[in-house]
């Protein structure tokens, strides 16, 4: 994060060390390689030039079409992500704190977990049909496990000495759960939240490709059928950007909620 | 003394035995073998001994964090059945809550535990502020533990202990992870906080665990020497050095003689342990 340039360095040097510059430089290099490959392929449908993708992206944004798709997708994403957190975190706490809950639920979790969310899409098509329900179901399913497993692991790995310290101050079990075990698990819960965020974006696109009448995934499939490859790639670019921004947001949240965990390990 | 002397010792171990079962093999390991010990109110008692002598186990049983396999551990004549706010503890690895600031760490027991019941927020805060000053952490109240040096962290640990006003202060090798200079400073500070210069009746009971002989002699009224395999008490020595103790205390012939006596008691065992663990570069503690 803060690799802030040395004090007194000239502005040009500061700029060359800034994150924005480093990102732009890499993306520019990528665009040149892409352009060369596109020249070599020579087929606009298979691989268009980056400039025509940029042009189509611009047009989709100006016309408002991109905004509509992105808004629909984001709405589904936020709703399912919240659902996954609301189910996954309490279940993870339950399983982390009480062995009987873990004995009961762990086999179910371990059997369901390896099944990719995508595997449920055909079945979900029968159940929900094409609409909002299918992507919401798939995303919730996929985002649930990172929340659950990380919460559980976080609670279980609470430093025993911290619990002992609290007990020698005479506090009861409820306080220990509320003020020792949950805060101690918070950094890992937030790590789970970031993994869930990435997984949610991936499954969102997969679910919308097949099972939704709108959204970014739908737009990709729509323009593919029309052989409008530049627009397909333009939508992909937007997905990438939004996914990246989601992760930045979650990382910011992580720093805000757990300011101590930057120095953890050295801590205690 | 605030209590008549006839009420008996503050803490008492009566034929205490503690065994553990090794998880895989099912073998039984004796951690403490029939320990008898009476600790008087207001006394500073140190338990010293080589690794594996069961000194920490005894402390944990006094805290109520572990229960004896046989015999009884009692405080004021009442059997100890679990941890309580009357018996606070300081840990070798500080055990500060990383997500709480120095102030919030010190406040923890008063805020969430029984000893803070009946205190208003303002009273609680002013007591915490007094403890911050007492240990010399003024100005660091809003820092997180990871921003502090080891010595500062343990000052915070001591303040957290003192703030909760326990009757008995249990200290599990609190200075073992600190460098030699910091350790000497904190030893003197601990005696000051304990009330060495003040009235004897004002002092709390302290049980202090260490493997450093000079530390034991410097701090204590009495030193309990333990030996390992099985862990047992081999000697209880009075320390007749005047208080308050200072740098000059360390140079007194009685100090040196007593340290030597204790070293003679445990030397053979320490050597044995050192050669057994020699190839591994010496065991952790």
């Amino acid at each position: 994060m803060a690799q802030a340039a040395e004090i007194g360095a000239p502005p040009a040097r500061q700029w060359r060390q800034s994150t924005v510059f480093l990102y732009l430089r890499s993306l520019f290099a990528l665009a040149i390689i892409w352009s060369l490959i596109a020249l070599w392929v020579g087929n606009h449908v298979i691989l268009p030039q980056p400039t025509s993708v940029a042009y189509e992206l611009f047009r989709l944004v100006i016309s408002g079409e991109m905004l509509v798709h992105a808004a629909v997708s984001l709405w589904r994403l936020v709703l399912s992500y919240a659902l996954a957190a609301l189910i996954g975190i309490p279940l993870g706490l339950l399983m982390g704190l009480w062995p009987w809950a873990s004995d009961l639920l762990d086999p179910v979790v371990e059997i369901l977990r390896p099944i990719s969310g995508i595997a449920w899409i055909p079945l979900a098509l029968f159940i929900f049909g094409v609409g909002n329900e299918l992507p919401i179901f798939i995303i919730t399913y996929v985002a649930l496990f990172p929340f659950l497993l990380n919460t559980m692991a976080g609670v279980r790995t609470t430093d025993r000495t911290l619990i002992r310290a609290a007990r020698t101050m005479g506090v009861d079990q409820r306080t220990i759960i509320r003020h020792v075990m949950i805060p101690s698990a918070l950094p890992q819960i937030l790590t789970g939240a970031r993994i869930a965020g990435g997984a949610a974006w991936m499954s969102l696109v997969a679910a919308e490709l097949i099972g939704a009448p709108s959204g970014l995934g739908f737009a990709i499939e729509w323009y593919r059928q029309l052989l409008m490859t530049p627009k397909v790639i333009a939508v992909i670019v937007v997905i990438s950007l939004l996914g990246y921004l989601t992760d930045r947001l979650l990382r910011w949240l992580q720093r805000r909620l757990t300011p101590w965990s930057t120095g953890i390990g050295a801590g205690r | 003394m605030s209590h008549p002397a006839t009420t008996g010792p503050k803490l008492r171990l009566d034929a205490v035995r503690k065994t553990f079962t090794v998880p895989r093999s099912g073998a039984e390991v004796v951690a403490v073998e029939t320990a008898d010990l009476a600790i008087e109110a207001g006394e500073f008692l140190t338990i010293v001994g080589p690794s594996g002598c069961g000194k920490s186990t005894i402390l944990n049983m006094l805290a109520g964090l572990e229960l004896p396999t046989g015999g009884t551990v009692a405080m004021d004549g009442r059997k100890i059945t679990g941890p309580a706010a009357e018996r606070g503890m300081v840990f070798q690895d500080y055990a500060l809550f990383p997500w709480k600031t120095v102030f919030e760490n010190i406040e923890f027991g008063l805020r969430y535990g029984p000893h803070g019941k009946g205190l208003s927020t303002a009273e609680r805060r002013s007591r915490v502020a007094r403890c911050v000053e007492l240990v010399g952490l003024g100005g660091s109240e809003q820092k997180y533990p990871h921003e502090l040096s080891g010595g500062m962290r343990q000052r915070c640990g001591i303040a957290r202990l003192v703030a909760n006003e326990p009757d008995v202060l249990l200290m599990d090798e609190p200075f073992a992870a600190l460098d030699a200079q910091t350790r000497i400073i904190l030893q003197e500070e601990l005696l000051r906080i304990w009330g060495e210069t003040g009235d004897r009746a004002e002092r709390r009971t302290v049980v202090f665990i260490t493997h450093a002989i000079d530390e034991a002699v410097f701090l204590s009224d009495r030193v309990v020497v333990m030996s390992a395999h099985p862990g047992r008490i081999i000697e209880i020595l009075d320390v007749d050095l005047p208080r308050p103790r200072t740098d000059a205390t360390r140079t007194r012939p009685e100090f040196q003689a007593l340290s030597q006596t204790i070293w003679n008691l445990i030397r053979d065992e320490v050597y044995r342990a050192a050669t057994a663990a020699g190839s591994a570069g010496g065991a952790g503690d």
Side-chain angles (χ1 to χ4, degrees):
Chain A
M1 192 38 222
Q3 68 272 82
E6 308 119 79
I7 298 158
R13 185 154 167 206
Q14 279 186 6
W15 162 245
R16 282 204 305 275
Q17 286 175 344
S18 73
T19 318
V20 178
F21 171 77
L22 293 175
Y23 265 74
L24 285 178
R25 188 176 63 179
S26 294
L27 289 177
F28 188 69
L30 180 71
I32 290 189
I33 294 165
W34 170 4
S35 181
L36 290 173
I37 295 173
L39 272 177
W40 179 67
V41 169
N43 184 332
H44 205 68
V45 174
I46 295 176
L47 189 65
Q49 282 291 336
T51 44
S52 60
V53 170
Y55 175 67
E56 291 299 338
L57 176 60
F58 178 74
R59 288 210 338 184
L60 283 170
V61 170
I62 291 296
S63 70
E65 197 189 330
M66 191 65 90
L67 188 71
V68 173
H69 286 308
V72 170
S73 289
L74 276 175
W75 172 77
R76 285 177 190 142
L77 188 92
V78 169
L79 184 71
S80 356
Y81 189 75
L83 268 173
L86 282 176
I87 303 167
I89 294 174
L91 267 184
L93 289 176
L94 201 69
M95 291 172 69
L97 289 170
W98 291 288
W100 60 263
S102 151
D103 290 347
L104 202 65
L105 293 170
D106 202 52
V108 181
V109 170
E110 286 305 313
I111 284 169
L112 288 179
R113 191 169 63 97
I115 307 172
S116 153
I118 295 160
W120 294 108
I121 293 179
L123 185 63
L125 266 174
F126 284 145
I127 300 169
F128 301 114
V130 171
N132 283 324
E133 293 86 350
L134 186 144
I136 289 171
F137 168 75
I138 299 294
I139 304 163
T140 308
Y141 173 86
V142 166
L144 179 71
F145 294 104
F147 272 119
L148 190 153
L149 295 169
N150 281 282
T151 305
M152 184 172 76
V155 169
R156 281 193 187 153
T157 52
T158 305
D159 186 349
R160 307 302 302 169
T161 318
L162 294 181
I163 297 172
R164 287 150 53 93
R167 292 179 73 198
T168 58
M169 285 184 267
V171 304
D172 57 27
Q173 190 61 25
R174 254 187 63 198
T175 309
I176 289 176
I177 292 170
R178 169 74 187 79
H179 292 287
V180 181
M181 300 181 83
I182 292 178
S184 155
L186 192 57
Q188 197 160 353
I189 295 175
L190 291 174
T191 302
R194 279 183 63 196
I195 299 171
W201 267 107
M202 289 185 208
S203 58
L204 168 89
V205 176
E208 284 183 345
L209 277 176
I210 300 166
S214 55
L216 295 166
F218 165 80
I220 291 178
E221 178 60 11
W222 175 257
Y223 289 118
R224 185 195 67 81
Q225 285 176 10
L226 296 175
L227 302 181
M228 292 174 160
T229 315
K231 288 194 177 177
V232 170
I233 300 179
V235 177
I236 291 174
V237 168
V238 170
I239 291 169
S240 150
L241 193 68
L242 289 175
Y244 172 78
L245 289 176
T246 309
D247 193 54
R248 286 308 292 254
L249 178 75
L250 290 170
R251 264 154 68 172
W252 173 81
L253 204 67
Q254 203 167 18
R255 277 199 307 277
R256 279 298 300 273
L257 291 178
T258 58
W260 71 87
S261 73
T262 46
I264 219 154
R268 288 176 225 143
Chain B
M1 286 225 178
S2 54
H3 302 288
T6 51
T7 51
K10 189 80 206 167
L11 295 164
R12 184 178 198 100
L13 277 80
D14 208 4
V16 166
R17 197 179 135 82
K18 179 73 181 175
T19 58
F20 294 101
T21 310
V22 179
R24 259 156 227 231
S25 63
E28 196 158 86
V29 175
V30 180
V32 177
E33 182 68 87
T34 10
D36 290 288
L37 184 64
I39 303 165
E40 300 303 325
E43 179 177 24
F44 200 122
L45 182 119
T46 297
I47 304 178
V48 68
S51 302
C53 71
K55 53 191 191 293
S56 288
T57 307
I58 285 188
L59 198 74
N60 286 335
M61 289 191 287
L62 287 171
L65 292 168
E66 286 175 31
L67 297 177
T69 318
T72 52
V73 183
M75 173 172 172
D76 293 325
R78 288 188 310 276
K79 191 174 169 182
I80 293 170
T81 53
E86 292 92 68
R87 297 181 305 278
M89 194 152 168
V90 167
F91 300 82
Q92 179 180 343
D93 53 3
Y94 322 120
L96 301 174
F97 304 113
W99 54 88
K100 292 199 177 288
T101 61
V102 166
F103 192 93
E104 291 167 339
N105 262 289
I106 298 170
E107 195 184 23
F108 191 90
L110 293 177
R111 186 157 177 194
Y112 305 116
H115 279 190
K117 294 264 151 63
L119 285 181
S120 71
T121 309
E123 285 168 333
R124 187 177 72 223
R125 284 173 177 271
S126 78
R127 201 202 278 186
V128 173
R130 276 203 306 279
C131 292
V132 168
E133 290 307 319
L134 185 69
V135 299
L137 274 177
S140 298
E141 293 93 332
Q142 300 311 318
K143 286 189 179 153
Y144 285 101
H146 73 82
E147 298 174 279
L148 304 178
S149 67
M152 301 262 275
R153 283 183 210 169
Q154 200 54 292
R155 283 170 192 269
C156 182
I158 292 168
R160 183 174 68 176
L161 172 75
V162 172
N164 208 31
E165 298 196 346
D167 223 4
V168 171
L169 283 63
L170 305 171
M171 312 190 90
D172 191 5
E173 305 203 33
F175 306 146
L178 304 176
D179 64 78
Q181 288 84 5
T182 310
R183 182 193 284 218
I184 286 173
I185 291 167
L186 280 183
Q187 285 166 1
E188 288 177 15
E189 296 232 349
L190 175 62
L191 289 178
R192 175 180 62 78
I193 292 163
W194 174 59
E196 185 180 52
T197 51
D199 186 3
R200 230 195 133 86
E202 297 289 308
R203 297 175 192 163
R204 304 290 163 105
T205 313
V206 180
V207 183
F208 189 104
I209 303 293
T210 183
H211 59 256
I213 293 168
D214 60 333
E215 184 167 84
V217 175
F218 183 78
L219 294 170
S220 322
D221 295 320
R222 279 197 300 162
V223 177
V224 173
V225 185
M226 289 187 73
S227 132
H229 311 296
R232 63 189 193 284
I233 295 171
I234 50 173
E235 191 72 73
I236 301 174
L237 299 155
D238 287 315
V239 183
D240 287 321
L241 291 164
R243 290 189 188 276
R245 303 212 174 133
T246 61
D247 278 341
T249 310
R250 296 177 200 274
T251 57
R252 290 174 80 105
E254 306 98 289
F255 182 95
Q256 314 266 345
L258 195 53
S259 299
Q260 191 60 47
T261 309
I262 296 170
W263 174 237
N264 289 341
L265 283 166
I266 61 176
R267 179 177 50 201
D268 291 348
E269 210 163 333
V270 174
Y271 276 133
R272 263 203 307 279
T275 42
S279 52
D285 105 19

